[in-house]
Amino acid sequence: MKRIAVFGHRGARGLAPENTIGGFAVARACGVTGVEFDVGLTADNVAVVHHDSRLNAAIARDAAGHYVGADAPLLRDLSLAELAAYDVGRLRAGSDYAARYPDQVPCDGAVIPSLTAGLAALRGLDLLIEVKTAPDRPADTATPAAMANAVIEALRAADAIERAVLFAFDWRVLREASVIEPTLRRCCLTEPDTVAQGGLWLDGVELSTFDGKIVQAVAATGAACWAPFHASLEEADVREAQSLGLLVLPWTVNAPEALDRMIGFGVDGIISDWPDRARLAVEHAGCQIAAPGFIAGVGRLVPEVGAPGGVEQKLP
């Protein structure tokens, strides 16, 4: 029976406030393989679990209960203690975000957790950790090297390297991580916009070198996985990626038809805002949900000892 991993996106964003400890608990209760979440860096260099470079006006309320505006502070300008003053447990009524996730159950008092706290809450589950840097807005975050180093330090302290995959649209992050911790599995995130601006997002990769094939470019980085936007994925892409030893993990697969399409393509895992829906779709298709520990069985690339020019070798 085919196994498909199911990962809750930002915890379980369709059901609970994103990237929160409570949201992680909801994802766990859905019987997931693991959880996908995002990481930024504070002014005092603490890795925290948050998607945006600045506080999100649809999510964050100050100590007086007022939602922040478009001029909300950047994470990198706030200390961890200052960040803890904001409540991220309830969507702003009337916002586009609230309209997209009407079933999200509020959790007043939820705060942005440190990565260390997040890892503790997710003990035993697989971890898909997206590092949030933006090469088109470099001043908004710490550098790729600083971000990768902070995440890896936290993973080492939690003894979680083996159950984690580092994700990034900004492939510079993945290159930096490969130097800091070669055994940490890496995943290239892609969407049409970042691929179209490859010189900016893909760490200088020229797709023309690979006959325009993004799958070939991903494989050449030494990544273990490829995470494309599901709507841009075709079955032939899945087959080619898997033939190159890549796991294919499409993201934000939410609608029933999209879930059925990805499962029919034979993807290795699904990242969904509604992990409960994803689990039901996988089981309805006659497949088995991959248990936690799935990541530990994924091959990864590490530098071959004595190999000239850092040639890499696939390990089981």
Side-chain angles (χ1 to χ4, degrees):
M1 181 182 295
K2 179 175 175 57
R3 291 189 311 153
I4 298 178
V6 171
F7 299 95
H9 183 240
R10 305 190 199 178
R13 181 167 60 156
L15 304 170
E18 69 169 58
N19 286 328
T20 61
I21 299 301
F24 293 166
V26 170
R28 185 189 291 275
C30 291
V32 294
T33 309
V35 167
E36 184 273 351
F37 58 92
D38 310 282
V39 173
L41 205 61
T42 65
D44 46 349
N45 295 314
V46 178
V48 293
V49 181
H50 192 60
H51 178 269
D52 304 285
S53 59
R54 64 179 69 245
L55 291 172
N56 188 324
I59 296 174
R61 288 174 285 164
D62 63 21
H66 302 130
Y67 283 93
V68 300
D71 60 346
L74 294 164
L75 293 189
R76 70 172 308 178
D77 291 336
L78 296 173
S79 68
L80 180 63
E82 290 170 329
L83 202 58
Y86 292 89
D87 187 324
V88 292
R90 179 180 292 269
L91 296 177
R92 183 199 290 260
S95 67
D96 290 343
Y97 194 151
R100 288 164 56 203
Y101 298 98
D103 300 327
Q104 188 184 106
V105 177
C107 182
D108 293 324
V111 299
I112 295 171
S114 67
L115 175 56
T116 297
L119 295 177
L122 293 169
R123 189 173 288 112
L125 294 180
D126 289 357
L127 311 167
L128 308 186
I129 304 173
E130 183 180 346
V131 175
K132 302 301 293 189
T133 58
D136 56 341
R137 292 176 284 107
D140 284 3
T141 69
T143 66
M147 296 276 274
N149 190 65
V151 171
I152 290 167
E153 283 187 358
L155 286 172
R156 287 171 174 166
D159 193 25
I161 294 288
E162 278 295 305
R163 59 189 177 96
V165 180
L166 197 73
F167 276 50
F169 284 107
D170 180 356
W171 291 8
R172 296 176 302 166
V173 172
L174 305 178
R175 171 171 50 82
E176 296 287 359
S178 72
V179 175
I180 300 166
E181 180 52 75
T183 65
L184 176 60
R185 296 164 181 84
R186 307 182 304 280
C187 179
C188 293
L189 274 160
T190 60
E191 63 176 347
D193 286 347
T194 60
V195 172
Q197 301 177 68
L200 187 62
W201 289 90
L202 310 185
D203 195 22
V205 168
E206 294 290 343
L207 285 183
S208 59
T209 306
F210 303 96
D211 296 324
K213 294 185 175 181
I214 188 63
V215 175
Q216 299 281 344
V218 170
T221 69
C225 314
W226 174 39
F229 177 47
H230 73 90
S232 66
L233 187 63
E234 298 295 339
E235 187 169 9
D237 300 326
V238 177
R239 297 287 172 261
E240 183 176 12
Q242 291 171 337
S243 75
L244 293 169
L246 294 166
L247 292 187
V248 182
L249 307 174
W251 47 275
T252 56
V253 191
N254 294 331
E257 58 272 20
L259 287 163
D260 291 344
R261 182 170 179 261
M262 293 298 102
I263 294 166
F265 283 0
V267 299
D268 300 286
I270 288 170
I271 303 168
S272 179
D273 289 319
W274 281 274
D276 54 341
R277 294 182 188 175
R279 181 185 178 98
L280 287 174
V282 169
E283 292 174 340
H284 185 263
C287 300
Q288 183 178 6
I289 304 295
F294 171 79
I295 293 302
V298 174
R300 76 271 197 197
L301 298 177
V302 301
E304 183 179 359
V305 177
V311 174
E312 294 185 309
Q313 175 184 33
K314 190 72 174 282
L315 296 183

